[in-house]
Amino acid sequence: MATKFDDIAKGPKDLLTDDYSTKITLKCKKNAGPVAVTIETERGEGGALSSKIGTKFSYAKFNVDKAQATANGGRVLETSLNVAPNVKLSFKANKGADLLVDYTSGNFYATGVLDVAEMSKFSTSACLGLPSGITAGGNATYALSGKSGLTGLNVGASYTSGPLFASLTSANKFSTVNLGLMYKVNEEISLASMTTHSGDKACDVGGVGGSYKASFGTVKAKYTGSGMISASLIKEIAPKVTLTASGTASLSDFSTFKYGLGIVM
């Protein structure tokens, strides 16, 4: 299966970042004929509720992947069209507007993104999966306005062998290197780590943690180099209703504890 370069370190990154929110949210999804409707509500610090409503639908080869209106008057539109068997053309508009193209062929995945709102930059990436378990690729960004030229260039690779996954990616024009590791101990337990290495700091721990699939739900926990600890519980409390409860605090000061609660139905 082809992998996008942005997802080359997806395994450990998702394990250490997903499900650790400190917000209180409710997300309701409902199909209305061929149209899917989603309402997301979030509780602010003062107790005020803000919502955003969205929908998605398809007609022939044209897809409206997201059409959303937010409480502050914002609008989000994401559409896509399969122009050829291996080519997908997309448009995304939020605060800006981007035209995207995705091309896949076997284990090869290439992308292109053009800022059509300000015509300020163009980004591209390519990634190739090899039979040996290695996936390698790179991305580049070229400025079209102001001081035009190459503003970003990075490469990366990942390796999978049985329960072990490792990824190595560069950032900031090779000034830093990110190392991601994940090990699947068994069907219930997975461990992961993310670290950053540069000339200024030999090792910066982005996160070390794991997940455990228990009979009562999935338990996750992590520690970051800044001294923060986090834990979460993901449980299906009813058919098609998922509860995520999480908490975060500083090891040196537990008065900084913040919690999050999310329900998706």
Side-chain angles (χ1 to χ4, degrees):
M1 181 178 178
T3 300
K4 187 184 294 189
F5 181 73
D6 288 347
D7 296 332
I8 203 167
K10 181 177 174 61
K13 187 182 295 183
D14 285 355
L15 193 151
L16 294 171
T17 57
D18 289 353
D19 307 311
Y20 291 109
S21 174
T22 55
K23 299 177 180 179
I24 299 176
T25 60
L26 172 64
K27 185 176 183 179
C28 302
K29 299 184 286 185
K30 177 67 175 177
N31 290 332
V35 178
V37 178
T38 302
I39 300 176
E40 300 177 55
T41 304
E42 180 180 329
R43 182 180 183 271
E45 293 184 1
L49 300 178
S50 61
S51 298
K52 48 189 177 183
I53 182 169
T55 185
K56 65 176 183 179
F57 59 90
S58 300
Y59 180 76
K61 294 183 179 181
F62 180 73
N63 305 301
V64 175
D65 302 307
K66 180 189 286 189
Q68 188 180 75
T70 62
N72 61 4
R75 293 178 296 274
V76 179
L77 177 63
E78 297 181 5
T79 64
S80 62
L81 177 67
N82 294 317
V83 296
N86 298 326
V87 181
K88 182 175 73 172
L89 193 64
S90 307
F91 175 76
K92 294 184 178 182
N94 190 350
K95 294 180 180 179
D98 294 324
L99 184 64
L100 306 87
V101 60
D102 288 49
Y103 172 76
T104 57
S105 178
N107 291 327
F108 178 73
Y109 200 130
T111 68
V113 182
L114 175 64
D115 174 13
V116 294
E118 300 179 356
M119 299 301 293
S120 62
K121 64 179 180 179
F122 173 76
S123 303
T124 185
S125 73
C127 198
L128 177 65
L130 303 175
S132 59
I134 295 175
T135 300
N139 63 9
T141 301
Y142 190 89
L144 302 174
S145 62
K147 189 177 180 180
S148 62
L150 193 66
T151 58
L153 178 63
N154 292 291
V155 297
S158 68
Y159 175 69
T160 303
S161 178
L164 177 66
F165 173 88
S167 66
L168 193 66
T169 58
S170 68
N172 303 320
K173 289 185 175 180
F174 302 97
S175 63
T176 60
V177 174
N178 302 311
L179 173 64
L181 297 171
M182 187 168 72
Y183 183 77
K184 190 174 182 179
V185 180
N186 51 42
E187 291 299 321
E188 292 79 30
I189 301 173
S190 296
L191 305 174
S193 69
M194 290 290 294
T195 56
T196 300
H197 309 269
S198 66
D200 296 331
K201 193 171 185 179
C203 182
D204 184 14
V205 180
V208 177
S211 68
Y212 171 59
K213 295 180 180 178
S215 58
F216 55 84
T218 300
V219 179
K220 298 177 66 176
K222 70 173 180 178
Y223 166 81
T224 66
S226 59
M228 302 296 291
I229 55 172
S230 304
S232 67
L233 169 66
I234 305 99
K235 179 178 177 59
E236 187 177 52
I237 57 177
K240 298 182 179 181
V241 180
T242 303
L243 168 69
T244 301
S246 57
T248 299
S250 171
L251 271 176
S252 60
D253 183 7
F254 276 90
S255 66
T256 61
F257 175 78
K258 295 182 179 180
Y259 69 93
L261 192 64
I263 295 178
V264 178
M265 63 176 64

